[in-house]
């Protein structure tokens, strides 16, 4: 787990690691905690920014394949450093059907715990994690900045948890 400094690339937590606990805002007056989902698989999708073209495509894809995620009883959580009001507008505009969580203040604190914060640009890296029912990372991936990682890796990781 490293915090990107200068030009260094984030190094995400590897499979076998216990997923760091967190509680983040999903609306101005509501929070979501990772512990709320213990007992079922969780997909955590860290992404750089609401409204960017690649992030819009990535989050939209996850909304489209939600029925497949639900076949595995998996919960999907999107996390970026954007504020809750941006998330609310973005989710409504893109018709997202999963929570977007704000890692806004302190900026990138949760992303950093997962090794998915790029301090050089002040955004979360595009990193994916699949957690098993006990909160252990079973699969993780760091995608290049401008590349939509798709859903195939997530679905394969969820299949292996069955």
């Amino acid at each position: 787990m490293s915090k990107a400094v200068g030009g260094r690339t984030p190094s995400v937590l590897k499979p076998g690691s216990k997923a760091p606990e967190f509680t983040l805002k999903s609306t101005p007056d509501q929070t979501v905690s990772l512990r709320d989902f213990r007992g079922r698989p969780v997909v955590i999708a860290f992404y750089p920014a609401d409204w960017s073209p690649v992030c819009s495509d990535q989050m939209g894809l996850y909304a489209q394949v939600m029925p497949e995620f639900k076949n595995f009883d998996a919960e999907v959580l999107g996390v970026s450093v954007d504020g809750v009001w941006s998330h609310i507008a973005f989710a409504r505009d893109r018709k997202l059907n999963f929570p977007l969580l704000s890692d806004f203040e302190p900026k990138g604190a949760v992303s950093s715990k997962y090794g998915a914060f790029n301090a050089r640009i002040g955004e979360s890296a595009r990193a994916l994690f699949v957690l098993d029912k006990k909160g252990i990372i079973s699969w993780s991936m760091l995608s290049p900045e401008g590349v939509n990682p798709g859903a195939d890796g997530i679905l394969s990781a969820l299949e292996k948890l069955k």
Side-chain angles (χ1 to χ4, degrees):
M1 171 168 64
S2 72
K3 207 183 231 185
V5 179
R8 284 198 328 215
T9 302
S11 175
V12 298
L13 292 177
K14 302 294 182 223
S17 305
K18 180 161 179 36
E21 289 292 334
F22 60 79
T23 299
L24 292 171
K25 287 187 174 239
S26 58
T27 69
D29 59 351
Q30 295 178 318
T31 60
V32 172
S33 296
L34 182 59
R35 69 175 117 6
D36 297 341
F37 305 105
R38 196 70 74 237
R40 56 192 294 203
V42 177
V43 176
I44 304 173
F46 288 97
Y47 65 99
D50 294 343
W51 307 105
S52 72
V54 177
C55 295
S56 294
D57 290 348
Q58 180 186 3
M59 295 300 115
L61 172 65
Y62 298 158
Q64 289 175 350
V65 299
M66 186 58 68
E68 293 181 60
F69 294 144
K70 292 299 182 190
N71 285 339
F72 296 101
D73 193 33
E75 183 67 42
V76 177
L77 304 173
V79 181
S80 82
V81 299
D82 293 299
V84 294
W85 293 111
S86 178
H87 281 336
I88 290 167
F90 180 61
R92 185 176 298 132
D93 184 73
R94 301 298 176 187
K95 297 176 177 46
L96 302 182
N97 49 8
F98 55 91
L100 297 181
L101 307 180
S102 179
D103 192 12
F104 184 72
E105 189 58 44
K107 188 175 188 181
V110 173
S111 300
S112 293
K113 288 180 185 179
Y114 282 77
F117 186 70
N118 188 333
R120 181 179 52 79
I121 58 174
E123 296 176 340
S124 298
R126 193 175 311 284
L128 300 171
F129 297 87
V130 173
L131 314 183
D132 68 13
K133 294 176 181 184
K134 296 179 181 176
I136 303 300
I137 297 168
S138 64
W139 178 82
S140 63
M141 173 194 184
L142 178 64
S143 185
E145 225 171 276
V147 176
N148 180 345
D152 291 345
I154 296 168
L155 292 168
S156 294
L158 290 170
E159 181 68 38
K160 290 177 184 168
L161 290 179
K162 282 176 80 177

